[in-house]
Amino acid sequence: MLVRTSIVFDEVRQQILIFAHEKLKNDFPRDDYKEFLELVIIYLGDVPSGGIKFRRPGPYHLARWIYCLKIILFQNQFKLNVVEKKALQTICCFIVMCYTESCFTAPDAVQAPLNDIQFIKKLHSYKKDDKIIAEIALNKFLNHLWYLNEECVAFSLFDDRINVKQKRNMIQKILEEDKEEEKELPTSLFSPKSMIMFKRFGLTTNFLKMDPSEWNTQNDYIQSQLTIRSLKVVNDTAERGVKLMEKFNDKITKNEDQKQFLLKTVQDYRRKYPGYSQEKLKTPYIK
């Protein structure tokens, strides 16, 4: 059943397996995230902690990747020609080597700026293995880097993976005088405009006056780090909200006034009764 698509796995296979096994210990908002990691592990010739099992086909958030991995794992049960099999091997190789780790580290706002830069480097490196796929993915990803601006890049000040020397350079760029008359292109993503991030989230900047080697002992730095880490930087929640509203539009009423009234009623109810977990709903209502 297992497929060895490329010798490029030899160098990174163990690294990917360690990452996938570790991530499986987390809780996920949807079961398909867990299934995706399990399929990656099986594809690489290992066994997930819960054993090898496959879910029936259904609606998936990660459908395109899950079905590619399943088809290649069950290729003997499909009538695949040479071209189809090669295409599946190509995409599965990319999924496992480039996409998996980036996908599951994306929600961390603190790590997001450095993750994006590392992903770009990974795609450039992947050109040695598959130049066509690497360039397609790279061109697509670069079209979505508009958010990696001077403000958002300041999130990385709280990233423990960045060393003290690098953080000193970041602070130097942020605190230097803003010379609007300069017309030269910036040599760094960091600038005095990066300070806007602190104002936007009401974060103190006292720790910026200290050496980065001391930040981890400062309460204002620790609290600011927790605030940034709590931010939602992926659109999974928004996508589910949009899908829910699409279903809602067709189910209850088509009258716009009634629809708006109902939304306000739901919003008001949630303010009064904020707990709506499954455990909370099982609790008997007592006046």
Side-chain angles (χ1 to χ4, degrees):
M1 188 196 321
L2 304 178
V3 181
R4 303 292 181 180
T5 59
S6 173
I7 59 172
V8 298
F9 282 129
D10 293 341
E11 298 178 2
V12 297
R13 176 180 176 275
Q14 195 58 34
Q15 175 188 332
I16 299 169
L17 282 173
I18 292 173
F19 176 84
H21 279 295
E22 191 64 29
K23 280 295 176 182
L24 272 178
K25 298 176 184 178
N26 298 345
D27 294 324
F28 299 107
R30 295 169 58 115
D31 288 340
D32 46 354
Y33 287 90
K34 181 179 179 180
E35 184 183 12
F36 177 67
L37 283 171
E38 290 175 340
L39 288 171
V40 169
I41 292 172
I42 296 169
Y43 180 79
L44 288 174
D46 205 355
V47 179
S49 56
I52 296 179
K53 51 189 176 182
F54 299 96
R55 293 175 59 188
R56 290 179 298 176
Y60 293 122
H61 177 65
L62 298 165
R64 70 192 72 179
W65 311 130
I66 287 176
Y67 284 130
C68 282
L69 289 167
K70 280 186 174 179
I71 292 172
I72 203 69
L73 289 172
F74 288 94
Q75 60 178 290
N76 293 334
Q77 299 183 31
F78 292 91
K79 294 181 179 180
L80 301 174
N81 59 41
V82 175
V83 175
E84 291 170 336
K85 185 179 293 187
K86 183 178 179 180
L88 280 167
Q89 290 174 342
T90 298
I91 195 63
C92 287
C93 187
F94 171 79
I95 291 170
V96 174
M97 288 195 62
C98 297
Y99 180 79
T100 303
E101 187 173 352
S102 298
C103 174
F104 285 90
T105 56
D108 191 326
V110 168
Q111 296 187 356
L114 182 57
N115 285 346
D116 289 342
I117 293 172
Q118 288 179 335
F119 186 55
I120 292 173
K121 290 181 178 179
K122 183 182 290 186
L123 291 177
H124 274 290
S125 178
Y126 195 64
K127 288 182 180 180
K128 295 181 294 184
D129 305 309
D130 194 323
K131 185 176 180 180
I132 295 176
I133 291 295
E135 289 183 346
I136 291 173
L138 190 59
N139 290 335
K140 186 68 174 179
F141 187 66
L142 291 176
N143 288 333
H144 294 274
L145 284 182
W146 53 268
Y147 54 83
L148 193 62
N149 53 37
E150 294 163 306
E151 181 180 346
C152 292
V153 77
F155 292 168
S156 59
L157 288 170
F158 305 99
D159 192 340
D160 294 331
R161 299 172 300 172
I162 298 176
N163 63 47
V164 170
K165 182 179 179 181
Q166 290 172 319
K167 287 186 177 180
R168 286 175 184 150
N169 293 333
M170 294 175 184
I171 294 302
Q172 183 180 357
K173 291 292 183 180
I174 291 175
L175 297 181
E176 71 183 6
E177 184 178 352
D178 190 4
K179 300 178 181 180
E180 294 186 1
E181 67 273 10
E182 284 190 4
K183 301 298 182 181
E184 296 181 5
L185 291 174
T187 57
S188 169
L189 284 172
F190 292 90
S191 79
K193 293 180 181 178
S194 300
M195 290 293 287
I196 298 174
M197 184 273 290
F198 292 90
K199 296 178 182 177
R200 187 179 300 279
F201 298 106
L203 305 179
T204 179
T205 58
N206 294 334
F207 67 87
L208 296 180
K209 301 173 185 177
M210 307 179 67
D211 189 79
S213 61
E214 303 177 29
W215 285 357
N216 286 326
T217 64
Q218 303 302 309
N219 187 60
D220 54 348
Y221 172 82
I222 295 172
Q223 292 302 315
S224 296
Q225 187 183 53
L226 290 173
T227 299
I228 298 302
R229 199 177 293 279
S230 68
L231 298 177
K232 301 289 186 182
V233 293
V234 293
N235 64 355
D236 183 52
T237 303
E239 287 178 353
R240 280 182 281 162
V242 170
K243 184 62 177 177
L244 186 62
M245 276 304 301
E246 288 177 351
K247 290 183 177 180
F248 165 78
N249 281 338
D250 297 329
K251 297 294 182 183
I252 299 178
T253 178
K254 296 186 181 297
N255 183 287
E256 185 61 30
D257 291 336
Q258 289 296 312
K259 194 180 298 180
Q260 295 301 321
F261 175 76
L262 183 58
L263 288 172
K264 290 178 181 178
T265 302
V266 171
Q267 187 178 41
D268 182 58
Y269 182 87
R270 285 186 170 179
R271 287 199 195 101
K272 293 180 179 178
Y273 311 100
Y276 46 88
S277 64
Q278 289 186 0
E279 287 300 318
K280 188 72 174 178
L281 293 174
K282 293 176 183 177
T283 305
Y285 175 73
I286 302 176
K287 288 187 177 181

